Each structure stands twice: as C-alpha cells, then as structure tokens.
Amino acid sequence: MKQGTNDAENTEHMSSFSDLGLSELIVDNCHNLGIRTPRPVQQHCIPKVLEGRHVIGIDETGSGKSTAFALSILHRLAENPTFAAFALVLTPTRDFACELVDQFFALGHPFRLRVAAVVGGFDIRSQAKHLLTRPHLVIATPGRINVLLQNNPEIADMFAATKFLVLDQADQLLDNFNEDLKSIFQYLPKNRQNILFSANMTTNMQKLCDTYQEKPYAFQAYEGRV
C-alpha cells in the first residue's frame, strides 16, 4: 500500500508548507514554532486531506503524523470558525489525548480555538458541560466519548454535522476499542471525511477502509503489517 510513483514525484518540489496549500496564517505560525520543512507524511497527506479525500497514513512514531492532520483540520476550520464539533479526534489513551490538545493549541495559536478533551480519569459531568459549550474540536478516548454520546442526546446532536473523524494510533483503536467505535460511528454523519494514522497497517484498518464508498488515499512510508 505504498504511494504511487506519480504521487511521489508530485511531492518532490513541496519543500515548504505553503506548497501544500495551507493558509499563510498557518504557515507563518509554523515558522514561529520552528516548523519550516514538511516531512514526507505531511507532504503526501496534507494536500489529499485538503482535496477532501479520506486519508490513511502509515509512518513511524515521531514522523509528524499528528501535525499532518492537525494542520489540515485547522486550515479547513479557519474557513468556518464558528463550526461546533468540526472534528472528532479519537486516540487510545489519556496521555495521547493530552498531547494532541497541546499540539492543536500550539498549531492553532492564531485562531480562537476551542478544544475539549474527553477522557477517563476526570469528572464526566464537567466534560459534558464543556461539550455543551460547543468546542470546535473534540479529542477523546473511545470509552468516555461513547458514554457521553449514549447518555446525552444534546451532545449526540452536536456531532450530527461533524466534518472530520480522525483515528490517531488507528491500529490500537481498531484492535482494542472496536465495539466503542461501532457505537460512536452511528452518531456521526456518513459524509464525514475520515483520516487514519498509524505506525502499522493492520487487517482491521484495511477492513474499515474497505467500507468507505470512496477509496482512501494511502501513504505508507515503509512496509507495515497487512
């Protein structure tokens, strides 16, 4: 499932984030953070997300996968900054979720970004109240957000027009939280854009991608497990 030769050739000249189609405001903020040259997973995946494609990206830990989907989502969100629950980002652990919250705030510094972290270990009633303030982005672990969706119709309604679903560490999510994910998917619109990032390609990931009506764009930096 490696990217095709033509796609690889098309990204050879994408030496800056401006070349990827990101807004000047986002690019300038990246430069302020010392992020100047896109890494391969970013070069290949960001333009495809901005085109509206489903995207699956396989690359090693620390390769810049989360920056790839964060920048893409922020670019689209800036076009409609009042949109509540614009993106739902699922990740397998509380620690991963907290890291993503920090990353979104840093990369989205130019915007008045509202982010909700919905994870276990914290008061669920406070998290429900936070969700009802209509944050732009929700970063969650599957078990906790599933409970809130099932028990709070007002929260569930808020996700009826969500534009992006991200599965970060998708291999772990699909192997360990499959039932929660099936439940969560029922609350999301079918026309959402799906983004899966992982260090490995697994059978469960391939099965999920096969359910999409439109074939996802796939980038794989190395041979993973199939």
Side-chain angles (χ1 to χ4, degrees):
M1 194 189 65
K2 289 184 177 180
Q3 73 279 7
T5 302
N6 290 338
D7 181 64
E9 291 173 353
N10 289 338
T11 61
E12 284 181 358
H13 303 296
M14 293 184 179
S15 58
S16 75
F17 284 98
S18 295
D19 298 330
L20 305 183
L22 294 168
S23 70
E24 183 178 351
L25 192 60
I26 289 176
V27 172
D28 287 346
N29 189 53
C30 284
H31 288 177
N32 291 336
L33 294 170
I35 306 171
R36 296 182 177 275
T37 304
R39 303 178 75 175
V41 69
Q42 297 158 3
Q43 292 177 3
H44 288 271
C45 292
I46 288 176
K48 298 302 181 181
V49 176
L50 298 186
E51 288 175 11
R53 297 279 302 275
H54 302 309
V55 170
I56 178 168
I58 308 297
D59 208 342
E60 62 186 354
T61 301
S63 59
K65 297 188 295 294
S66 58
T67 297
F69 67 71
L71 291 176
S72 303
I73 289 171
L74 289 168
H75 177 91
R76 286 293 179 227
L77 177 61
E79 297 172 346
N80 192 351
T82 62
F83 204 112
F86 185 77
L88 172 61
V89 181
L90 298 176
T91 193
T93 71
R94 180 173 62 189
D95 288 344
F96 284 146
C98 291
E99 289 174 7
L100 287 173
V101 169
D102 290 342
Q103 187 165 25
F104 266 104
F105 274 128
L107 294 172
H109 177 70
F111 313 105
R112 295 181 177 178
L113 197 62
R114 302 192 306 275
V115 182
V118 180
V119 298
F122 295 95
D123 182 62
I124 193 169
R125 291 170 297 182
S126 297
Q127 291 179 346
K129 290 179 181 178
H130 192 187
L131 284 174
L132 292 174
T133 65
R134 302 178 63 80
H136 299 116
L137 308 172
V138 178
I139 300 173
T141 49
R144 177 55 61 92
I145 191 64
N146 188 29
V147 169
L148 286 166
L149 289 169
Q150 290 179 347
N151 295 336
N152 297 268
E154 194 172 354
I155 290 174
D157 289 346
M158 194 177 72
F159 287 89
T162 293
K163 298 300 183 183
F164 285 97
L165 170 67
V166 178
L167 301 187
D168 180 44
Q169 315 288 334
D171 55 339
Q172 297 181 42
L173 287 171
L174 290 164
D175 288 348
N176 300 311
F177 300 95
N178 195 42
E179 293 305 313
D180 283 320
L181 293 177
K182 287 180 181 178
S183 177
I184 293 166
F185 293 168
Q186 295 177 12
Y187 295 95
L188 302 174
K190 291 184 178 180
N191 64 345
R192 67 184 184 265
Q193 194 171 342
N194 300 287
I195 302 173
L196 285 70
F197 278 112
S198 174
N200 300 286
M201 184 64 184
T202 65
T203 300
N204 284 336
M205 288 175 63
Q206 187 62 60
K207 287 180 180 178
L208 178 62
C209 291
D210 289 342
T211 67
Y212 299 152
Q213 290 184 346
E214 298 179 12
K215 185 177 180 181
Y217 168 78
F219 168 77
Q220 186 163 319
Y222 55 87
E223 289 293 342
R225 293 183 293 117
V226 178

